[in-house]
Structure formats: C-alpha cells, structure tokens
Amino acid sequence: MIKKYHIADIITASRIILASTLVGVIWKNSPPDIAIWIIVACELGDALDGIFARKYHYPNDGKYRWWRKYAPEIDQAADIYTGILALVYYIKCVNFQLGVTILISGLIIGLTVQTYAVWLKYLFSEKVKRRLILTRRYLYLLAIAVVVTNLIIATSWPRQIRTACLLFGVAVGIILILIKRNRLTQVKTPL
C-alpha cells in the first residue's frame, strides 16, 4: 500500500521515466505536439514532488531508506536529465539556432555560477553565495519558460489553442511561484 510519504518519491521516479521517453521522441523526430506534454508533465512533477516531500515526512521508524538519504541529489539529477533532454529535443526538432543559443548561454552562466560557488566559495560572503544559488534558480525557471513557450508556439495547434495554452502556462507559473516562493528567496540546499 502506498503511504502519503511515498508520493514525492513516486513523482520523482515518474519524472525520470517520463523524461526517458523523450529519447524516443527525439529519435523519431516527433512533432512538438507530443513533446510538449512530456516536458510539461515532467516540470509539473518537479514542482509537486518537493511540495509533497515537505508536507509528508517519512516516519522515524529506524528503517534505512537509501533513496531518502540522496533525495535532493536524485531530484536535482532528474531536473538536469529532463532539462538536457528537453533542450536536445528543442535543438534537433524545433529551432536549432535558438536552442544552441540557450544551451551555450546556459552552459556559460551555469558553469560560471558553479565555478564561483565551488572553487571560489571561500572568497565570497554568505550573501554573495546565496545570490549565486538564487540566480541559478531564476535562470533555470527562465530557461524552462523559454523552451516551453517556444514549444507551444511550434505546435500545429490552432492559434486560439496556443494562445490559451500560453495564458494557462503563465497562470500556472505564477501559482507555482507563489506556492514555492520560498525556493526563490531562501537557500536551504547546497549549491
């Protein structure tokens, strides 16, 4: 029987499995009409798994659960895996030039932030390190928004449906930002 405290783990595992289907979508050069649903489901799962993990804690029953010990790392790996596959899909199947621009910009900014955080962390104050972590989170949200927006625009759906999806996406994004606003202002996880 599934317990409430398993929900976050199930969502994270589902995200990894679902993101893996993007490999086939990329391989078959499937239209954005299919890929958008997979990517959106993965990103919604990303938004929800943390909420469930914070709400329903595992009991202190003395049982060793290895996946809970590494839950933040597994979640971050799932985020990176989904993001990379979404970007590879975008580059290969939608818009090569914009996709490569996003990729190169993300690599330069991400590696710069990571370099400052890891190699030069002793040179910076806690305030600067906090800003680096939050900057990385904002950039991740921006990259998701750009890719999903461009995927919606690239679909073969009628203009009214695309417009409605974009407006709905903005509304969902605002709601998620409000629900998870502490993740954009507080640093509880390591860089």
Side-chain angles (χ1 to χ4, degrees):
M1 176 176 220
I2 296 176
K3 307 285 186 195
K4 289 180 183 178
Y5 49 81
H6 289 129
I7 295 173
D9 298 331
I10 292 168
I11 292 172
T12 301
S14 299
R15 284 175 41 218
I16 294 168
I17 293 166
L18 192 56
S20 297
T21 64
L22 279 173
V23 173
V25 170
I26 293 165
W27 184 268
K28 291 192 151 261
N29 204 22
S30 299
D33 304 44
I34 295 170
I36 187 71
W37 296 111
I38 297 168
I39 294 166
V40 167
C42 288
E43 293 304 330
L44 286 175
D46 180 30
L48 295 175
D49 63 2
I51 293 169
F52 281 106
R54 285 184 284 284
K55 185 169 180 160
Y56 303 116
H57 299 281
Y58 272 82
N60 291 327
D61 56 8
K63 292 181 181 177
Y64 178 69
R65 296 170 175 96
W66 66 267
W67 65 91
R68 291 308 312 152
K69 181 178 179 182
Y70 301 105
E73 290 85 2
I74 294 169
D75 182 60
Q76 194 171 35
D79 293 345
I80 293 167
Y81 183 58
T82 302
I84 288 171
L85 287 174
L87 198 51
V88 168
Y89 172 81
Y90 191 79
I91 290 168
K92 183 178 182 292
C93 303
V94 180
N95 187 328
F96 180 81
Q97 288 178 334
L98 182 58
V100 169
T101 302
I102 293 169
L103 175 65
I104 291 170
S105 302
L107 284 174
I108 290 170
I109 294 167
L111 290 173
T112 302
V113 169
Q114 202 68 24
T115 300
Y116 282 132
V118 174
W119 298 105
L120 305 173
K121 65 182 171 186
Y122 301 109
L123 300 177
F124 295 108
S125 67
E126 286 301 314
K127 185 177 182 180
V128 172
K129 286 189 272 188
R130 181 176 175 268
R131 283 188 185 156
L132 287 171
I133 293 170
L134 296 177
T135 299
R136 186 176 71 178
R137 289 182 186 156
Y138 283 112
L139 292 172
Y140 177 70
L141 289 174
L142 180 63
I144 292 168
V146 168
V147 169
V148 170
T149 298
N150 280 288
L151 282 175
I152 290 171
I153 292 169
T155 63
S156 63
W157 304 335
R159 183 177 302 181
Q160 297 87 349
I161 301 293
R162 287 183 292 180
T163 302
C165 286
L166 289 170
L167 292 174
F168 181 72
V170 168
V172 168
I174 290 170
I175 291 168
L176 289 173
I177 286 172
L178 292 174
I179 289 171
K180 297 179 75 167
R181 69 182 164 268
N182 66 324
R183 297 283 294 148
L184 297 174
T185 58
Q186 298 172 6
V187 176
K188 294 183 179 180
T189 56
L191 191 66

